[in-house]
Amino acid sequence: DVKVTQSSRYLVKRTGEKVFLECVQDMDHENMFWYRQDPGLGLRLIYFSYDVKMKEKGDIPEGYSVSREKKERFSLILESASTNQTSMYLCASSFTTSSYTFGSGTRLTVV
Amino acid sequence: GDSVTQMEGPVTLSEEAFLTINCTYTATGYPSLFWYVQYPGEGLQLLLKATKADDKGSNKGFEATYRKETTSFHLEKGSVQVSDSAVYFCALSDAGGTSYGKLTFGQGTILTVHP
């Protein structure tokens, strides 16, 4: 089975801190995605990557950046965390356009 | 752009009741359609999918049929169990000629099943 691993399950950070959320997949997938999940809004795409060092903005990229130096790892960076970035963050990877695997999520609280 | 609209929740049912969660979509191309489920404290799991019109996806007693004429992908189950209590997300993937597709999600429907 494809595994997508997010490094932290719960994270508490202070306003203004630089925050790194890490995601690793073990099946050589080309495509990786970062979503945030908020009640009543579903999941919204922040950034995605279809190859090493390639990145594309999703629907809500403001305040975020990403890094993909290796195929298996896709990092989400909050340059200066703010309270409105308190959310559940979900990473996913895919090989085709009809098969996606999600990590368990990181619940980030910014205080 | 692409969008997915799900039935407003939360939905509360008694065990063995019939479940329908409505989902309609807007897409420019020929999307694949999905239902994902999220149990409390967990990530998203694929429940079922359909990749072309008139396909029926099914899993664990849940079914959904890809209806292009009504742009719908409604989720149904004949007899729900307490263990089906979760959040259900309808989603679409529209590659738009690329080799990758971005999933677009509905807002999610919370289902609670009572004994």
Side-chain angles (χ1 to χ4, degrees), chain B residues 42-101:
Chain B
E42 298 185 14
L44 265 67
Q45 299 176 25
L46 177 66
L47 182 59
L48 53 84
K49 69 179 181 184
T51 57
K52 62 183 188 296
D54 300 324
D55 270 1
K56 178 187 279 190
S58 61
N59 186 25
K60 299 181 182 178
F62 290 89
E63 292 183 340
T65 301
Y66 188 163
R67 301 280 187 209
K68 191 164 182 287
E69 63 276 12
T70 54
T71 61
S72 65
F73 193 54
H74 305 320
L75 182 68
E76 296 182 338
K77 187 175 185 183
S79 175
V80 293
Q81 306 299 313
V82 172
S83 57
D84 294 326
S85 298
V87 184
Y88 291 81
F89 292 95
C90 185
L92 71 80
S93 169
D94 192 349
T98 66
S99 62
Y100 51 86

Side-chain angles (χ1 to χ4, degrees), chain A residues 9 31 33 35 37 40-43 45 48 50 90 95 97-100 102-104, chain B residues 32 34 36 38 41-44 49 51 89 93 95 99-103 105-107:
Chain A
R9 196 65 192 270
N31 310 314
F33 307 83
Y35 290 86
Q37 180 184 358
L41 296 177
L43 279 76
L45 182 63
F48 65 100
Y50 54 87
L90 289 162
F95 177 65
T97 59
S98 61
S99 178
Y100 301 80
F102 283 82
S104 298
Chain B
S32 296
F34 307 81
Y36 283 88
Q38 185 178 39
E42 298 185 14
L44 265 67
K49 69 179 181 184
T51 57
F89 292 95
S93 169
S99 62
Y100 51 86
K102 299 174 287 179
L103 280 171
F105 286 87
Q107 65 268 46

